[in-house]
Amino acid sequence: MSIGVVVFPGSNCDRDVRWSAQGCLGMPTRFLWHESRDLHGLDAVVLPGGFSYGDYLRCGAIARFAPVLESLVDFVASGGRVLGICNGFQVLTELGLLPGALTRNRSLHFICEDSALTVASNRTPWLQGRSLGEALTLPIAHGEGRYQCSDDTLRQLQDDDAIALRYLNNPNGSVADIAGITNKFGNVLGLMPHPERACDPLIGGTDGRGLLQALLG
Amino acid sequence: MTLQRFQARVLVSLRPSVLDPAGEATRSAAKRLGVEGITKLRIGKAVELELEAADEAEARKQLELLSDRLLANPVIEDWSLELHPQSTTSA
């Protein structure tokens, strides 16, 4: 059982993910360089936060063409679990594995703070066992986290019960307070908050543990 | 086969339904500058390209693919394309 952590040029949360998954939670991890196509032996993959390829053009727009992501599309189709955090969420939408897009925060500010969230769906393994409306606090740190999608896509997300997490006090102007969504099948989760920064009671609490544990759960 | 040279410009703009906070901020700055009467200001991108292709149809085909799959994200952006043959004297 092992978790792959993708490393793009410009990723800066890859080591945080390893520290929390392996150091705090004892789950084996392996770094995946963006040019590798080899996902052999992995049960789950994390796309970490940061600024992949400098986020040139649009956040995640260039990362989407990385060789490792060609393999990831097959990995997802065969049911592998994929967690996209912050920039990783942006990459998943650019790649088309999740619908919608992440755009500039309404306030134009980069927001770095603890964010109060509620569980909007407990259908998927990521939030199984939690009750609907349950509160959790995770840090956010982004300039482009305003979730945007068409009315049709929003309806589809609601019909599929694919809205996983909502903001309590929508900090960035996201449509329908959306902080994180899954695909229909439920094996892919993208979210702007950083669960890997909330795995140690000494720094930032432990509300992120469950989301990471679901990688191998 | 001889290739022709083309100049192109792709304009990428936010779709009308998408909020443009940077455009709104710029509009308020315009007011502070004393420029009145601006009722709409939306910020996009202009991408200038030079390319070689067998003919104009082929060049257009390549640029449409590029615009749709890379330069713009159709979820939030629209794009338009200007394409001109480059004069051979300047080549």
Side-chain angles (χ1 to χ4, degrees), chain A residues 57-58 64 94 106 146, chain B residues 19 45 69-71 73:
Chain A
L57 194 61
R58 291 179 309 278
R64 172 196 152 188
E94 282 284 337
R106 186 172 46 194
R146 175 168 53 99
Chain B
L19 176 75
K45 296 186 189 93
R69 298 282 308 281
L70 178 59
L71 299 182
N73 177 350

Side-chain angles (χ1 to χ4, degrees), chain A residues 11 25 58 65 70 92 132 154 161 169 174 179:
Chain A
S11 294
L25 300 169
R58 291 179 309 278
F65 293 98
E70 286 176 30
L92 287 172
L132 290 180
L154 182 60
D161 192 18
N169 308 303
S174 290

Side-chain angles (χ1 to χ4, degrees), chain A residues 135-187:
Chain A
L136 60 166
T137 301
L138 296 176
I140 56 169
H142 59 247
E144 278 152 317
R146 175 168 53 99
Y147 184 78
Q148 177 76 46
C149 67
S150 68
D151 292 344
D152 286 347
T153 302
L154 182 60
R155 226 168 288 129
Q156 191 67 51
L157 285 170
Q158 286 160 342
D159 290 349
D160 292 343
D161 192 18
I163 301 171
L165 291 167
R166 290 185 202 266
Y167 298 109
L168 205 57
N169 308 303
N170 197 342
N172 53 26
S174 290
V175 163
D177 303 329
I178 288 174
I181 57 172
T182 61
N183 61 350
K184 189 176 179 179
F185 186 65
N187 60 326

